[in-house]
Amino acid sequence: MNIKILLFGRLTELLGQNVLHLEDMADTDSLSRFLSVQYPGLAQINYQIAVNQEIIHGNRLLTDGMTVALMPPFSGG
Amino acid sequence: MREKKLRNIFVNGAIPADTIAESIRKHHTKTDIGAHSIFLGQVRADEIGDQQVAGINYTAYEDLALEKMYEIREAIFAKYPLTCMHIHHSLGMIAAGEICLFVFTSSKHRKAAMEACDELVERIKAELPIWGQEILTDDSHQWKENK
């Protein structure tokens, strides 16, 4: 199982990369928990999550090949 | 159901004044239009401590932004009697004083164009996954926050 994680804005700095690949993440809550342990600064940043280009609210089950985007507050315009 | 057509709104670099002039000129043949409304976002040289913002480096989750822009476009066309709508947003480094957002709406009468333009700008800022990194004059940076 492979989950692709896209990072944006200040999260690219905090995690030091634009893309991560993780194995064995059952759902988006586990993914957030896992990353908060790896990158303690993450707990201070609000971010929305999109799964396969759809913004989700609440937890979402993950399956092989899914793409998860972690998006801090938008600042376009 | 008609085909869902995603239009690219992103341009690399600043939006030149000529592009805006050309866009206005292209509408001369559409004589059912009686009003245009244009919003131009310009990068502001904010003072940050003893530094200034030299420019903003824009990045986006382009695929999701274009999907979201499609939804916004459909909603605005459904809400206002518009003749046309054009949106351009910059990516990459845009220096202070340059244009980074161009929103252009046209209608028979002014109210629709003006209100649609205003609502588009608000929704673009709030809903499109775009991030601006403010580059300061000493090359340090901070992440822009929309107010």
Side-chain angles (χ1 to χ4, degrees):
Chain A
M1 176 178 175
N2 190 293
I3 305 293
K4 184 180 183 183
I5 321 290
L6 304 177
L7 304 164
F8 295 98
R10 67 176 77 230
L11 296 180
T12 59
E13 276 186 337
L14 182 70
L15 279 68
Q17 48 213 324
N18 298 325
V19 185
L20 277 175
H21 293 272
L22 294 177
E23 305 281 335
D24 302 324
M25 285 291 152
D27 51 44
T28 52
D29 280 359
S30 334
L31 172 69
S32 294
R33 273 197 304 275
F34 173 80
L35 290 176
S36 300
V37 172
Q38 301 285 311
Y39 306 94
L42 201 55
Q44 272 83 58
I45 299 176
N46 285 325
Y47 57 87
Q48 293 190 83
I49 298 178
V51 176
N52 290 352
Q53 289 184 42
E54 182 199 343
I55 295 176
I56 60 157
H57 304 279
N59 194 19
R60 181 69 62 94
L61 290 178
L62 296 174
T63 56
D64 187 38
M66 280 185 163
T67 299
V68 178
L70 306 185
M71 306 182 292
F74 306 151
S75 53
Chain B
M1 199 175 136
R2 71 193 170 87
E3 196 189 344
K4 177 172 171 179
K5 188 182 169 207
L6 296 186
R7 290 159 184 263
N8 187 23
I9 63 164
F10 292 111
V11 291
N12 281 312
I15 298 160
D18 287 351
T19 300
I20 297 158
E22 178 61 19
S23 193
I24 296 168
R25 204 186 58 74
K26 278 183 188 157
H27 289 77
H28 291 340
T29 52
K30 297 189 177 181
T31 49
D32 56 333
I33 292 173
H36 296 302
S37 189
I38 288 177
F39 175 85
L40 300 175
Q42 174 166 303
V43 173
R44 191 176 53 237
D46 273 346
E47 304 272 346
I48 312 288
D50 58 355
Q51 298 297 316
Q52 269 192 352
V53 171
I56 298 180
N57 189 25
Y58 286 103
T59 51
Y61 185 5
E62 293 184 48
D63 293 340
L64 182 58
L66 298 184
E67 286 281 346
K68 197 74 205 172
M69 192 63 239
Y70 175 85
E71 280 175 32
I72 296 172
R73 177 188 297 276
E74 293 291 297
I76 296 288
F77 266 120
K79 185 170 175 183
Y80 300 97
L82 292 183
T83 312
C84 45
M85 176 195 303
H86 303 278
I87 291 145
H88 303 275
H89 195 297
S90 292
L91 291 180
M93 181 65 187
I94 312 302
E98 293 189 310
I99 302 298
C100 56
L101 174 61
F102 173 29
V103 178
F104 187 4
T105 52
S106 311
S107 53
K108 271 187 175 356
H109 303 286
R110 70 186 181 283
K111 280 283 163 55
M114 292 164 78
E115 288 170 13
C117 186
D118 185 54
E119 190 168 329
L120 275 167
V121 173
E122 294 304 318
R123 292 195 64 176
I124 287 165
K125 282 178 167 274
E127 298 176 40
L128 295 193
I130 301 173
W131 295 272
Q133 185 186 37
E134 294 175 329
I135 311 298
L136 308 186
T137 32
D138 66 354
D139 283 337
S140 64
H141 69 263
Q142 64 176 21
W143 291 93
K144 180 175 180 275
E145 286 177 19
N146 279 349
K147 305 229 167 26

